[in-house]
């Protein structure tokens, strides 16, 4: 037992290091969701209210995307201790990502025995998928920790605590509102729990649904935007299919109806998440914020351990094996029902069964000294290759997606703000107001009375177009060049070099470039 604790401690130190080193620099940049969670935590710390002045909300209005607010509350202590910055905002995710290693160790021990638990926790500790999402302020990573802990407590028959943590998942991430009920149903079916023991914990769990249900109408627009069922074929496309079928309603209904088309789309998205290309070679190929360039979510040598572990699991008839299979098959469902072809965030719960299966395979390889030596060398080489890509090369590919340019631009203008009556910041990168609040550490007491979100009529994210002396909009130099005492932050095409050369009373402040040398933002002032 002491030996297991020692090895687990080494795995934890490794996992913590992989999640903490250069936390403010990798990923290089900061997403608008991270900035929103950080600033709302800062606002709650200072005033007990969110950025709009709402007292202790469960859901954050934010940009009109209505984020579950639990991550922001967990961020309050780190911001109180470290100040409003990237490290403080990302730190809770890194901590929960590390604690997840312990929870998975205990879960495997409960399901399969202590021999297998160290292998699974090791594979989670070095998982590229887990590392990446533990290094950003991702609500999904918090939800993953809470879900796994709740499942462990349920298996150990700690039903009240399981209900508590399952309930908290609903306050932490939107995707949990679908995955959590599905997982609970599986746990009930597999472990055949006495319903009498679950009645009161179930009622307790329902309490967590109340604030969500009360605010559902206001939040439903965002759900509609992301649901795949909101996107139907164009009318002229449907009419052309009907024409080709000679308006035969039976043929159209059987082969070409909307439900058939959307069913194919859901199946495509679901299977995308189970493909080797997604798991071992590319990860989320649609969104560089969710992936590691030129690397999958699992190390390539894990193909071997995954196949071995899967074979062992198929032969096993235990409830633990059934749970891991069910978890793996259910995890992509929230992502499959969304508009995106693939999503590393919404399918994040897949990490748990994948790490466990790979760990089971590794335990079987361990029985052969020769095979484990060869495999360990290949896995270590892959890990170093991943770390080289992530810490050395990734900024050249992902800095733009992580909106890196905001930090240096706002840090540069901070001492210049008193010199200008107006500051115009381009909206081309998205949500500039939240970065202004975050990096300039604007006092929430000053901002809250001015906060006004211009909601999107389509139900998608809205925008804030001004507060105090700041304006957030596209820069149109033919008209804006006539301004006085105005500072501009814009793109190179909004502030064209040739036009700037002929503009009187112009102060050239700086150009911001991405690590790969491409232009990001330009800062100029008109006196």
């Amino acid at each position: 037992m002491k030996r297991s604790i020692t090895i687990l401690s080494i795995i934890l130190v490794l996992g913590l290091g992989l999640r903490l080193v250069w936390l403010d620099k990798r990923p290089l940049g900061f997403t608008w969701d991270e900035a929103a969670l950080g600033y709302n935590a800062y606002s709650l710390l200072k005033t007990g209210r969110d950025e709009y002045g709402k007292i202790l909300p469960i859901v954050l209005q934010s940009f009109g995307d209505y984020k579950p607010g639990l991550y922001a509350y967990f961020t309050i202590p780190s911001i109180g201790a470290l100040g409003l910055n990237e490290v403080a905002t990302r730190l809770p995710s890194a901590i929960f990502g590390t604690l997840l290693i312990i929870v998975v160790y205990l879960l495997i021990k409960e399901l399969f025995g202590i021999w297998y638990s160290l292998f699974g926790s090791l594979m989670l500790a070095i998982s590229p998928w887990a590392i990446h999402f533990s290094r950003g302020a991702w609500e999904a990573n918090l939800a993953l920790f809470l879900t796994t802990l709740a499942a462990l407590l349920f298996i150990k028959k700690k039903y009240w605590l399981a209900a508590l943590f399952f309930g908290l998942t609903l306050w932490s991430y939107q995707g949990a509102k679908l995955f959590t009920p599905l997982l609970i149903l599986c746990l009930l079916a597999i472990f055949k729990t006495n319903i009498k023991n679950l009645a009161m914990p179930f009622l307790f769990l329902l309490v967590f649904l109340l604030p969500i249900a009360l605010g559902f109408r206001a939040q439903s627009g965002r759900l509609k935007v992301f649901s795949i069922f909101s996107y139907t074929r164009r009318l002229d496309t449907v009419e052309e299919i009907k024409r080709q079928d000679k308006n035969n309603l039976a043929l159209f209904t059987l082969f070409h109806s909307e439900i058939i088309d959307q069913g194919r789309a859901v199946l495509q998205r679901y299977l995308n998440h189970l493909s080797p290309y997604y798991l071992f070679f590319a990860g989320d190929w649609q969104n560089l914020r969710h992936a590691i360039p030129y690397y999958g979510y699992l190390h390539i040598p894990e193909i071997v351990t995954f196949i071995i572990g899967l074979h062992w699991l198929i032969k096993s008839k235990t409830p633990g094996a059934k749970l891991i299979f069910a978890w793996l098959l259910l995890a992509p469902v929230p992502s499959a029902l969304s508009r995106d072809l693939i999503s590393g965030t919404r399918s994040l719960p897949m990490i748990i069964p994948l790490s466990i299966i790979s760990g089971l395979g590794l335990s079987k390889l361990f029985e052969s000294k020769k095979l484990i030596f060869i495999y360990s060398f290949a896995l270590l080489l892959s890990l170093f290759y991943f770390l080289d890509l992530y810490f050395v090369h990734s900024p050249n590919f992902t800095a733009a997606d992580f909106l890196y340019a905001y930090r240096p631009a706002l840090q540069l203008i901070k001492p210049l703000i008193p010199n200008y009556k107006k500051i115009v910041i381009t909206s081309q990168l998205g949500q500039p107001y939240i970065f202004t609040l975050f990096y300039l550490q604007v006092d929430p007491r000053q901002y809250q009375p001015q906060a006004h979100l211009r909601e999107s009529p389509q139900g998608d994210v809205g925008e804030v177009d001004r507060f105090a002396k700041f304006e957030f909009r596209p820069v149109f130099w033919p008209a804006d060049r006539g301004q006085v005492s105005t500072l501009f932050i814009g793109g190179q095409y909004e502030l064209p070099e040739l036009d700037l050369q002929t503009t009187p009373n112009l102060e050239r402040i700086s150009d911001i470039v991405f690590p790969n040398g491409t232009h990001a933002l330009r800062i100029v002032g008109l006196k």
Side-chain angles (χ1 to χ4, degrees):
M1 187 66 180
K2 285 184 178 180
R3 187 180 177 187
S4 295
I5 297 300
T6 301
I7 297 172
L8 178 61
S9 300
I10 294 170
I11 293 171
L12 279 173
V13 170
L14 173 64
L16 182 62
L18 292 172
R19 287 154 178 78
L20 278 184
V21 173
W22 281 9
L23 192 58
D24 59 333
K25 298 181 180 69
R26 298 294 183 273
L28 184 64
F30 209 53
T31 68
W32 47 60
D33 287 327
E34 290 180 291
L37 290 167
Y39 187 76
N40 276 278
Y42 181 66
S43 183
L44 288 163
L45 174 66
K46 296 292 185 182
T47 69
R49 300 170 182 264
D50 72 355
E51 63 181 284
Y52 297 99
K54 295 179 181 176
I55 300 176
L56 301 176
I58 298 299
V59 176
L60 303 173
Q61 183 181 359
S62 193
F63 318 125
D65 55 351
Y66 294 93
K67 298 175 176 64
L70 190 61
Y71 188 96
Y73 286 94
F74 277 120
T75 310
I76 290 173
S78 57
I79 286 179
L82 303 175
L84 182 59
N85 54 54
E86 291 99 330
V87 170
T89 306
R90 289 173 169 174
L91 187 58
S93 187
I95 291 172
F96 285 118
T98 305
L99 292 176
L100 183 62
I101 298 169
I102 301 175
V103 175
V104 167
Y105 170 86
L106 295 172
L107 179 64
I108 299 171
K109 181 182 174 184
E110 195 70 25
L111 295 176
F112 303 110
I114 193 169
W115 165 251
Y116 302 104
S117 54
L118 289 171
F119 296 100
S121 56
L122 173 64
M123 300 314 283
L124 178 66
I126 63 171
S127 163
W129 203 351
I131 291 168
H132 180 69
F133 279 92
S134 295
R135 294 184 62 87
W138 298 101
E139 304 118 293
N141 198 48
L142 168 61
L144 180 65
F145 169 79
L146 295 171
T147 302
T148 312
L149 178 58
L152 171 64
L153 291 166
F154 184 95
I155 294 165
K156 292 176 73 68
K157 299 182 179 181
K158 309 288 185 181
Y159 299 126
W160 280 94
L161 285 173
L164 170 64
F165 289 107
F166 273 132
L168 289 176
T169 67
L170 306 177
W171 291 3
S172 60
Y173 180 58
Q174 300 287 19
K177 294 171 185 175
L178 178 56
F179 181 69
T180 292
L182 291 174
L183 184 61
I184 290 173
L185 288 174
C186 281
L187 287 165
L188 291 172
I190 292 168
F191 291 94
K192 305 187 187 313
T193 310
N194 190 330
I195 297 297
K196 292 180 180 179
N197 296 330
L198 296 174
M200 293 306 294
F202 178 73
L203 291 175
F204 177 53
L205 177 59
L206 290 180
V207 172
F208 291 89
L209 288 171
L210 286 176
I212 297 171
L214 291 173
F216 180 77
R217 186 172 181 181
Q219 303 165 30
S220 60
R222 185 66 171 165
L223 177 64
K224 185 178 179 182
V225 166
F226 269 93
S227 171
I228 190 174
F229 301 112
S230 300
Y231 299 90
T232 56
R233 293 169 294 180
R234 289 172 29 163
L235 184 60
D236 59 344
T237 301
V238 174
E239 291 301 321
E240 174 59 19
I241 294 171
K242 288 181 177 179
R243 185 194 67 77
Q244 293 171 12
D245 281 340
K246 301 185 182 343
N247 289 316
N248 187 315
L249 183 60
L251 276 177
F252 178 82
T253 304
L254 185 60
F255 296 116
H256 307 295
S257 62
E258 200 64 45
I259 192 169
I260 297 293
D261 184 70
Q262 290 184 329
R264 288 176 65 254
V266 170
L267 183 60
Q268 177 191 10
R269 284 157 173 75
Y270 181 85
L271 293 177
N272 279 345
H273 292 85
L274 299 175
S275 70
Y277 182 67
Y278 177 70
L279 295 175
F280 297 102
F281 297 99
D284 188 339
W285 61 80
Q286 279 195 313
N287 192 334
L288 284 178
R289 293 179 193 166
H290 300 164
I292 302 94
Y294 303 108
Y295 211 88
Y297 279 144
L298 302 176
H299 301 290
I300 288 178
E302 288 188 78
I303 295 173
V304 175
T305 46
F306 181 78
I307 292 172
I308 295 172
L310 198 62
H311 178 259
W312 184 88
L313 211 59
I314 290 171
K315 289 167 54 179
S316 174
K317 305 296 183 183
T318 63
K322 294 176 183 177
L323 175 63
I324 298 307
F325 271 123
W327 196 318
L328 179 62
L329 295 174
L330 289 175
V333 171
S335 189
L337 298 177
S338 72
R339 66 182 181 183
D340 300 318
L341 284 172
I342 206 84
S343 174
T345 312
R346 297 185 199 105
S347 61
L348 193 63
M350 290 178 69
I351 290 178
I352 302 303
L354 289 171
S355 297
I356 291 174
I357 293 170
S358 191
L360 292 172
L362 183 60
S363 71
K364 296 302 173 185
L365 278 182
F366 201 79
E367 295 170 5
S368 167
K369 291 184 179 179
K370 186 175 181 180
L371 288 178
I372 196 63
F373 177 78
I374 295 170
Y375 182 83
S376 298
F377 178 77
L379 184 62
L380 192 62
L381 192 64
S382 293
L383 178 60
F384 282 129
Y385 176 49
F386 160 70
L387 294 176
D388 177 65
L389 282 176
Y390 195 82
F391 287 98
V392 178
H393 300 286
S394 67
N396 293 284
F397 303 101
T398 64
D401 294 86
F402 275 95
L403 308 171
Y404 156 76
Y406 278 122
R407 176 168 61 178
L410 288 162
Q411 287 174 341
L412 276 169
I413 73 162
K414 190 171 184 178
L416 304 176
I417 291 172
N419 302 336
Y420 294 90
K421 292 182 180 179
K422 184 164 65 173
I423 299 164
V424 178
I425 303 179
T426 181
S427 56
Q428 71 177 11
L429 300 183
Q431 306 300 344
Y433 91 94
I434 197 65
F435 292 95
T436 304
L437 294 172
F438 185 92
Y439 285 115
L440 300 184
Q441 300 185 350
V442 175
D443 190 333
R445 288 175 284 259
Q446 296 177 7
Y447 176 71
Q448 287 169 7
Q450 306 175 63
H452 175 70
L453 179 74
R454 191 169 62 196
E455 299 266 7
S456 167
Q458 288 78 36
D460 207 346
V461 294
E463 57 185 17
V464 172
D465 57 11
R466 64 184 66 243
F467 75 84
K469 61 170 68 177
F470 294 92
E471 289 184 10
F472 308 103
R473 59 173 175 80
V475 177
F476 184 58
W477 196 241
D480 287 327
R481 67 191 303 167
Q483 302 268 4
V484 295
S485 189
T486 304
L487 183 68
F488 292 91
I489 301 178
Q492 61 178 328
Y493 300 113
E494 293 178 310
L495 297 167
E497 180 63 37
L498 289 176
D499 288 353
L500 295 179
Q501 291 175 5
T502 59
T503 303
N505 301 318
L506 183 80
E507 181 183 6
R508 300 295 296 265
I509 296 170
S510 183
D511 278 17
I512 308 296
V513 296
F514 292 117
N516 63 4
T518 59
H519 192 276
L521 289 173
R522 178 166 288 155
I523 307 172
V524 301
L526 289 174
K527 298 176 182 178

